[in-house]
């Protein structure tokens, strides 16, 4: 099975707190090229805070497996 690998940086803030910054690696079954794909990444990163989150950087690293 083919996977698309991305590196992301994101941030969100809660009332009264400084912004929280997060980064990591995301493995997707499909390429991320729609708003639905973007929303799925946010839900995967932090489902509780995904509505307040902004992805500040999303970089495609490469493909893994499959053809």
């Amino acid at each position: 099975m083919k996977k698309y690998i991305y590196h992301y940086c994101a941030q969100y803030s809660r009332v009264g707190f400084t912004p929280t910054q997060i980064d990591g690696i995301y493995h997707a079954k499909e390429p991320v090229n729609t708003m639905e794909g973007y929303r799925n990444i946010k839900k995967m990163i932090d489902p509780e805070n995904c509505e307040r989150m902004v992805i500040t950087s999303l970089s495609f690293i490469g493909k893994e497996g499959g053809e």
Side-chain angles (χ1 to χ4, degrees):
M1 180 163 99
K2 187 185 308 183
K3 291 184 181 179
Y4 297 85
I5 305 167
Y6 296 88
H7 177 265
Y8 64 85
C9 294
Q11 73 177 39
Y12 64 89
S13 64
R14 295 177 284 169
V15 176
F17 293 94
T18 58
T20 300
Q21 297 187 359
I22 306 166
D23 77 314
I25 301 294
Y26 177 66
H27 295 251
K29 294 178 184 176
E30 299 289 328
V32 178
N33 54 11
T34 65
M35 282 303 292
E36 182 179 347
Y38 172 78
R39 289 184 190 107
N40 287 340
I41 293 174
K42 290 174 28 171
K43 289 176 187 173
M44 184 279 308
I45 294 170
D46 190 344
E48 187 176 311
N49 295 298
C50 68
E51 295 300 320
R52 294 188 292 258
M53 183 181 299
V54 174
I55 295 177
T56 57
S57 172
L58 182 63
S59 301
F60 176 69
I61 295 174
K63 295 181 202 176
E64 173 179 87
E67 293 200 16

